[in-house]
Each structure stands twice: as C-alpha cells, then as structure tokens.
Amino acid sequence: GDQYSLVISLISVFVTMLLARIAVHGWEPKEVRIIALYNAVLTRYLSGFGLLASTIVLGLPVLSAFLLGGLVLLGQVPMWVLAIAIPLGLLGLPLLIGSSFAMFAMMDDMELSVWQSFRVSNRLAWRFKWPLLRSLTIVSLGLVLFLAFVIWLGALISPDLQTPSQQLIVDALVGWLVTPYVFELWGTVYQRLVEAYE
C-alpha cells in the first residue's frame, strides 16, 4: 500500500546500487565479503539516490513519448499528438542513453561524484554511439519479445491466479529473473566500453 511506498523505494534504490556494484566489480566470495560489499554501497547511498532521481528526470521525455504513442495507438488521443511524441522521443533518447551508465560508473569508482558519473557515462555513450545503438536495439528487441511472451503466458494462466498473493509471487519471480540479467548484461557492455576507451 501507499504507507509502504517510501520503504519500498528506499530498498529498491539500495538493491539497484548493489546490483550495479556486483555487475561491474564482480562477485568473488573468496575475495569480497558480503559485509564489505554492503558497507561500500551504503557509503554512497545518498549520492546513488540523487543519481537515480536525476536519471528518472532525464528519462521523462522518452517515457512521455511512449505514453503518448500508446494513447494514439489506442485511439484515446488524436493522431496529431505524434507530432509531439516523436520529437520528445528523439530528444530524450540521447539523454537516456547518455546517462544509462552513470550508476555503473559510480559503483565502479566509488570516488566519483554524481556529476562526474554522468560525465563518464556521456563520454562513453557518445564515443561509441553507433555500436551502442546496435546493442541497445538488439537488447530492446529481445526484451520486447520476452515481455510479449510473459504477457501471453499471463493471459493464458490468469484465470488460475485468483488471489493477489499468487499474482504477486508471479510478478516477483519474473522481476527477479529479468532484472539481474539486464544489469549483468548492461554492466558487461559498460566494462567493454571502458576497456575500448582506454
């Protein structure tokens, strides 16, 4: 409920930072103790919170473009709204791609400030924009196909999921399967870009 939204948000930020740290730093049980890993993330918690908030703001144009495009497809708004949605998407996509590695940059080098993390992310994104766009297109198509399969499967078994608790379990399982994979994949892309840049 709404009374837990703040707690859920705080935990989500921490888990996001933790996944980004593991994606770029690796998970070696013999070399990285869990307590040290958690403490390292907690020391940058406020900075990470601010970085994620800034990334969400930078992603608003793309999100708005998707929402407006969806409303046009559903016939809820007139076709001329695409004249607003398309420029929004074209403007917002470079902003979103440019900031997409900022969390990995911060978790890779814990000394970076929020501003420096965005600078590193933007520098990598613009230096390798065409390979990055190709990779992003392939990943996006894969995620769209996966989500389409999940939606189809959900529609197929939804009559059997009568209770909210059962639906919550399914949503959690899908989220926990997809999210670590996406973080690991994007973290690998970040590391490859850093190696190529250096």
Side-chain angles (χ1 to χ4, degrees):
D2 292 338
Q3 65 270 29
Y4 300 117
S5 59
L6 178 60
V7 175
I8 293 172
S9 299
L10 294 174
I11 294 174
S12 298
V13 170
F14 180 78
V15 172
T16 300
M17 295 173 64
L18 187 63
L19 286 173
R21 176 68 174 173
I22 293 172
V24 297
H25 192 264
W27 182 272
E28 297 291 339
K30 294 181 179 179
E31 298 179 8
V32 179
R33 294 190 302 176
I34 293 179
I35 297 299
L37 181 63
Y38 275 63
N39 287 341
V41 174
L42 278 175
T43 58
R44 299 308 310 275
Y45 186 80
L46 291 178
S47 297
F49 196 92
L51 189 148
L52 284 174
S54 302
T55 304
I56 291 172
V57 171
L58 292 172
L60 285 178
V62 171
L63 179 60
S64 301
F66 273 111
L67 290 176
L68 290 174
L71 290 174
V72 170
L73 289 176
L74 293 173
Q76 300 295 317
V77 295
M79 188 70 69
W80 63 263
V81 174
L82 286 177
I84 300 173
I86 293 174
L88 268 179
L90 293 176
L91 170 69
L93 190 59
L95 292 175
L96 189 60
I97 294 176
S99 63
S100 61
F101 298 113
M103 178 58 71
F104 294 108
M106 176 179 283
M107 291 296 100
D108 188 26
D109 184 354
M110 304 293 276
E111 301 298 322
L112 292 179
S113 66
V114 173
W115 171 246
Q116 290 170 330
S117 299
F118 278 118
R119 284 189 61 189
V120 170
S121 181
N122 277 279
R123 190 173 299 170
L124 289 175
W126 284 107
R127 176 75 178 271
F128 303 101
K129 54 182 176 296
W130 299 121
L132 190 57
L133 282 172
R134 286 196 298 269
S135 301
L136 184 61
T137 301
I138 294 171
V139 171
S140 298
L141 288 175
L143 287 176
V144 167
L145 291 175
F146 178 78
L147 290 175
F149 171 75
V150 170
I151 291 171
W152 172 79
L153 184 62
L156 190 66
I157 65 175
S158 59
D160 299 325
L161 301 176
Q162 301 296 332
T163 65
S165 60
Q166 290 174 324
Q167 296 175 11
L168 182 63
I169 290 172
V170 172
D171 290 342
L173 287 175
V174 172
W176 280 104
L177 285 173
V178 175
T179 304
Y181 171 76
V182 172
F183 265 84
E184 185 63 30
L185 181 63
W186 212 233
T188 301
V189 172
Y190 166 79
Q191 289 177 315
R192 298 285 174 83
L193 293 181
V194 170
E195 292 171 2
Y197 188 84
E198 292 175 346

